Amino acid sequence: MLSGFRAAITRRGFATNSTVKGFDGAIGNTPLIYLKGLSERAGAHIYGKAEFQNPGGSVKDRAALGLVNNAEKLGLLKPGGTVVEGTAGNTGIGLAHVCRAKGYKCVIYMPNTQSQEKIDLLKMLGADVRPVPAVAFENPKNYNHQAREFAESLPNAVWTNQFDNVANAEAHYETTGPEIWAQTQGKVDGFICSTGTGGTLAGTGRALKELSKGKTQVWIADPPGSILTSFVNNGGTERSGSSITEGIGQGRITDNMATFVKQVDGAFTVPDEKTIAILYELLDTEGIYLGASSALNVVAAYELAQKLGKGSTVVTILCDGAYRYQSPKGLSGAIPDHLKKYAVLD
């Protein structure tokens, strides 16, 4: 299945001097950024896949396109149809973009705890945004269940179901993993990232395992409050604490994650304090302003590089930029004094 994508890589390349067809064609083939300061400190080669350079601004553009393309392929979505999802984050933005590009209606259900700025952005992109009371997943009024029920009530409509629709992971298997392999000339000792739906980790990890014939180690980076570290390391479901990061961490094994979780080599939890410190360090030393989940990934890549040893090559995902997030409150103490000039805190 990877051969077709290898051909696409050859045709388009990883440069901005090529042309693409529309918004859809601009998704993927993002640069791989060498993180010089951390690499020198670790004595390794640490890279971040610049997913914030996707046209919708995040790694979720890949999932959004993959989910919609799969619905079309299965005949579930025809011209003039409606795409429905329950999301409070970047998947909604990606879907809104893809739907506008393809001519579909887009309906987004989200918890009413989300910021007005996020709602306004989705509306600006043409989405029908429906905030509903924030209740637990087990509650039938949870925003995900309402999204599914609404899609089922309409003709020519699809609930994309980003957490448990494995077309999400398949999009990364076909694109993100092969891109990383090609960009590193097949020299990837470790891949690590955090996970929410599980699509990026599962799809990319599976591709890299296959291409490396099992030599590439794939690890999960977890925020506090998630069960994944416990599940991978000892089969448990223990969780403690909470995190400032958005869209990552899980209390269950999603269907996307289930496609790969048994092949994961290890997992560890990254404290928020380390995430915040590296966020501002990367801005200061690399000029890259990342969201908290991306910063967590970079902390994890540095720690994995130390585990794998001198000269190792480790790749992670730079999911999105920090511009669509508020400054972290209550964690100003985690920011080194010489970097506090970058933080806007109450």
mmCIF file of all heavy atoms in Angstrom, residues 32 40 49 68 82 125-126 145 152 157 210 221-222 229 239 251 253 266 272-274 303 319:
data_model
loop_
_atom_site.group_PDB
_atom_site.id
_atom_site.type_symbol
_atom_site.label_atom_id
_atom_site.label_comp_id
_atom_site.label_asym_id
_atom_site.label_seq_id
_atom_site.Cartn_x
_atom_site.Cartn_y
_atom_site.Cartn_z
ATOM 1 N N LEU A 32 10.670 18.576 7.686
ATOM 2 C CA LEU A 32 11.190 17.943 8.892
ATOM 3 C C LEU A 32 12.256 18.882 9.433
ATOM 4 O O LEU A 32 13.284 19.100 8.790
ATOM 5 C CB LEU A 32 11.776 16.571 8.562
ATOM 6 C CG LEU A 32 11.980 15.590 9.716
ATOM 7 C CD1 LEU A 32 10.655 15.258 10.390
ATOM 8 C CD2 LEU A 32 12.649 14.312 9.223
ATOM 9 N N GLU A 40 22.115 18.901 19.959
ATOM 10 C CA GLU A 40 23.481 19.027 20.455
ATOM 11 C C GLU A 40 23.564 18.635 21.925
ATOM 12 O O GLU A 40 24.517 17.987 22.356
ATOM 13 C CB GLU A 40 23.980 20.453 20.244
ATOM 14 C CG GLU A 40 24.202 20.796 18.764
ATOM 15 C CD GLU A 40 24.644 22.234 18.560
ATOM 16 O OE1 GLU A 40 24.580 23.032 19.532
ATOM 17 O OE2 GLU A 40 25.039 22.566 17.426
ATOM 18 N N LYS A 49 8.394 17.069 12.832
ATOM 19 C CA LYS A 49 7.620 17.137 11.589
ATOM 20 C C LYS A 49 6.695 18.339 11.679
ATOM 21 O O LYS A 49 5.798 18.403 12.529
ATOM 22 C CB LYS A 49 6.824 15.843 11.429
ATOM 23 C CG LYS A 49 6.100 15.704 10.100
ATOM 24 C CD LYS A 49 7.022 15.210 9.017
ATOM 25 C CE LYS A 49 6.228 14.683 7.813
ATOM 26 N NZ LYS A 49 6.567 15.384 6.567
ATOM 27 N N VAL A 68 -12.859 12.241 5.196
ATOM 28 C CA VAL A 68 -13.803 12.629 4.149
ATOM 29 C C VAL A 68 -13.576 11.794 2.888
ATOM 30 O O VAL A 68 -14.531 11.298 2.267
ATOM 31 C CB VAL A 68 -13.690 14.132 3.844
ATOM 32 C CG1 VAL A 68 -14.537 14.502 2.619
ATOM 33 C CG2 VAL A 68 -14.150 14.953 5.052
ATOM 34 N N THR A 82 -23.429 16.325 3.841
ATOM 35 C CA THR A 82 -23.094 16.985 5.103
ATOM 36 C C THR A 82 -22.129 16.124 5.902
ATOM 37 O O THR A 82 -22.339 14.924 6.063
ATOM 38 C CB THR A 82 -24.369 17.216 5.944
ATOM 39 O OG1 THR A 82 -25.296 17.996 5.194
ATOM 40 C CG2 THR A 82 -24.025 17.951 7.247
ATOM 41 N N LEU A 125 -15.075 29.801 8.869
ATOM 42 C CA LEU A 125 -14.725 28.802 7.861
ATOM 43 C C LEU A 125 -15.949 28.142 7.244
ATOM 44 O O LEU A 125 -15.821 27.248 6.406
ATOM 45 C CB LEU A 125 -13.825 27.734 8.486
ATOM 46 C CG LEU A 125 -12.446 28.216 8.957
ATOM 47 C CD1 LEU A 125 -11.723 27.104 9.701
ATOM 48 C CD2 LEU A 125 -11.617 28.708 7.778
ATOM 49 N N GLY A 126 -17.126 28.580 7.665
ATOM 50 C CA GLY A 126 -18.349 28.092 7.045
ATOM 51 C C GLY A 126 -19.041 26.959 7.779
ATOM 52 O O GLY A 126 -20.027 26.404 7.284
ATOM 53 N N HIS A 145 -22.033 11.905 20.892
ATOM 54 C CA HIS A 145 -23.254 11.144 20.626
ATOM 55 C C HIS A 145 -24.276 12.002 19.878
ATOM 56 O O HIS A 145 -24.979 11.506 18.982
ATOM 57 C CB HIS A 145 -23.849 10.637 21.931
ATOM 58 C CG HIS A 145 -22.893 9.814 22.745
ATOM 59 N ND1 HIS A 145 -22.039 8.901 22.170
ATOM 60 C CD2 HIS A 145 -22.650 9.771 24.088
ATOM 61 C CE1 HIS A 145 -21.314 8.330 23.127
ATOM 62 N NE2 HIS A 145 -21.664 8.837 24.283
ATOM 63 N N GLU A 152 -27.108 10.688 11.583
ATOM 64 C CA GLU A 152 -28.012 9.579 11.262
ATOM 65 C C GLU A 152 -29.406 10.061 10.868
ATOM 66 O O GLU A 152 -30.137 9.350 10.160
ATOM 67 C CB GLU A 152 -28.114 8.627 12.456
ATOM 68 C CG GLU A 152 -26.827 7.846 12.714
ATOM 69 C CD GLU A 152 -26.867 7.045 13.999
ATOM 70 O OE1 GLU A 152 -27.815 7.265 14.803
ATOM 71 O OE2 GLU A 152 -25.972 6.211 14.223
ATOM 72 N N ALA A 157 -25.453 12.189 4.679
ATOM 73 C CA ALA A 157 -24.643 12.781 5.745
ATOM 74 C C ALA A 157 -23.783 11.707 6.381
ATOM 75 O O ALA A 157 -24.152 10.521 6.377
ATOM 76 C CB ALA A 157 -25.529 13.448 6.804
ATOM 77 N N GLU A 210 6.983 -1.073 9.468
ATOM 78 C CA GLU A 210 7.051 -1.876 8.246
ATOM 79 C C GLU A 210 8.256 -1.501 7.400
ATOM 80 O O GLU A 210 9.008 -2.364 6.920
ATOM 81 C CB GLU A 210 5.764 -1.710 7.440
ATOM 82 C CG GLU A 210 4.557 -2.373 8.066
ATOM 83 C CD GLU A 210 3.317 -2.254 7.213
ATOM 84 O OE1 GLU A 210 3.437 -1.837 6.026
ATOM 85 O OE2 GLU A 210 2.220 -2.567 7.708
ATOM 86 N N ALA A 221 4.162 9.467 24.094
ATOM 87 C CA ALA A 221 4.388 10.528 25.076
ATOM 88 C C ALA A 221 3.028 10.918 25.641
ATOM 89 O O ALA A 221 2.116 11.258 24.886
ATOM 90 C CB ALA A 221 5.058 11.729 24.411
ATOM 91 N N ASP A 222 2.888 10.875 26.948
ATOM 92 C CA ASP A 222 1.581 11.040 27.572
ATOM 93 C C ASP A 222 1.545 12.261 28.487
ATOM 94 O O ASP A 222 2.503 12.517 29.222
ATOM 95 C CB ASP A 222 1.280 9.798 28.414
ATOM 96 C CG ASP A 222 -0.088 9.220 28.166
ATOM 97 O OD1 ASP A 222 -0.749 9.640 27.200
ATOM 98 O OD2 ASP A 222 -0.492 8.329 28.919
ATOM 99 N N THR A 229 0.200 5.503 29.333
ATOM 100 C CA THR A 229 1.480 5.043 29.878
ATOM 101 C C THR A 229 1.273 3.791 30.713
ATOM 102 O O THR A 229 2.013 2.804 30.584
ATOM 103 C CB THR A 229 2.139 6.144 30.721
ATOM 104 O OG1 THR A 229 2.500 7.235 29.859
ATOM 105 C CG2 THR A 229 3.395 5.639 31.418
ATOM 106 N N ARG A 239 -4.673 6.309 36.228
ATOM 107 C CA ARG A 239 -4.498 7.682 35.768
ATOM 108 C C ARG A 239 -4.518 8.590 36.978
ATOM 109 O O ARG A 239 -5.228 8.337 37.955
ATOM 110 C CB ARG A 239 -5.584 8.072 34.773
ATOM 111 C CG ARG A 239 -6.987 8.036 35.337
ATOM 112 C CD ARG A 239 -8.059 8.127 34.260
ATOM 113 N NE ARG A 239 -7.939 9.287 33.432
ATOM 114 C CZ ARG A 239 -8.744 9.545 32.400
ATOM 115 N NH1 ARG A 239 -9.706 8.700 32.074
ATOM 116 N NH2 ARG A 239 -8.588 10.621 31.672
ATOM 117 N N GLY A 251 -8.610 8.175 28.210
ATOM 118 C CA GLY A 251 -9.082 7.312 29.287
ATOM 119 C C GLY A 251 -9.499 5.950 28.772
ATOM 120 O O GLY A 251 -10.032 5.137 29.519
ATOM 121 N N ILE A 253 -8.769 2.955 25.147
ATOM 122 C CA ILE A 253 -8.048 2.623 23.930
ATOM 123 C C ILE A 253 -9.012 2.796 22.761
ATOM 124 O O ILE A 253 -9.972 2.026 22.614
ATOM 125 C CB ILE A 253 -7.498 1.180 23.961
ATOM 126 C CG1 ILE A 253 -6.592 0.989 25.170
ATOM 127 C CG2 ILE A 253 -6.750 0.864 22.674
ATOM 128 C CD1 ILE A 253 -5.388 1.917 25.218
ATOM 129 N N GLY A 266 7.128 1.473 24.121
ATOM 130 C CA GLY A 266 7.147 2.018 25.466
ATOM 131 C C GLY A 266 6.386 3.326 25.534
ATOM 132 O O GLY A 266 5.930 3.865 24.516
ATOM 133 N N ASP A 272 3.571 18.747 33.014
ATOM 134 C CA ASP A 272 3.276 20.040 32.404
ATOM 135 C C ASP A 272 4.431 21.025 32.560
ATOM 136 O O ASP A 272 4.688 21.847 31.674
ATOM 137 C CB ASP A 272 2.015 20.646 33.026
ATOM 138 C CG ASP A 272 0.739 20.035 32.467
ATOM 139 O OD1 ASP A 272 0.809 19.267 31.478
ATOM 140 O OD2 ASP A 272 -0.337 20.321 33.022
ATOM 141 N N GLU A 273 5.116 20.961 33.693
ATOM 142 C CA GLU A 273 6.204 21.911 33.944
ATOM 143 C C GLU A 273 7.294 21.800 32.879
ATOM 144 O O GLU A 273 7.841 22.797 32.408
ATOM 145 C CB GLU A 273 6.798 21.686 35.337
ATOM 146 C CG GLU A 273 5.879 22.086 36.491
ATOM 147 C CD GLU A 273 4.745 21.098 36.745
ATOM 148 O OE1 GLU A 273 4.792 19.972 36.183
ATOM 149 O OE2 GLU A 273 3.806 21.453 37.493
ATOM 150 N N LYS A 274 7.617 20.571 32.482
ATOM 151 C CA LYS A 274 8.623 20.376 31.429
ATOM 152 C C LYS A 274 8.101 20.862 30.084
ATOM 153 O O LYS A 274 8.838 21.443 29.286
ATOM 154 C CB LYS A 274 9.010 18.900 31.331
ATOM 155 C CG LYS A 274 9.887 18.404 32.461
ATOM 156 C CD LYS A 274 10.367 16.982 32.176
ATOM 157 C CE LYS A 274 11.331 16.488 33.250
ATOM 158 N NZ LYS A 274 11.825 15.113 32.946
ATOM 159 N N GLU A 303 13.974 13.089 25.520
ATOM 160 C CA GLU A 303 14.164 12.015 26.498
ATOM 161 C C GLU A 303 14.342 10.659 25.810
ATOM 162 O O GLU A 303 15.152 9.827 26.249
ATOM 163 C CB GLU A 303 12.987 11.988 27.479
ATOM 164 C CG GLU A 303 12.932 13.244 28.344
ATOM 165 C CD GLU A 303 11.899 13.176 29.462
ATOM 166 O OE1 GLU A 303 11.288 12.101 29.644
ATOM 167 O OE2 GLU A 303 11.715 14.194 30.154
ATOM 168 N N CYS A 319 2.557 19.434 16.222
ATOM 169 C CA CYS A 319 1.139 19.348 15.835
ATOM 170 C C CYS A 319 0.573 20.657 15.313
ATOM 171 O O CYS A 319 -0.131 20.689 14.298
ATOM 172 C CB CYS A 319 0.297 18.894 17.021
ATOM 173 S SG CYS A 319 0.978 17.518 17.945
#
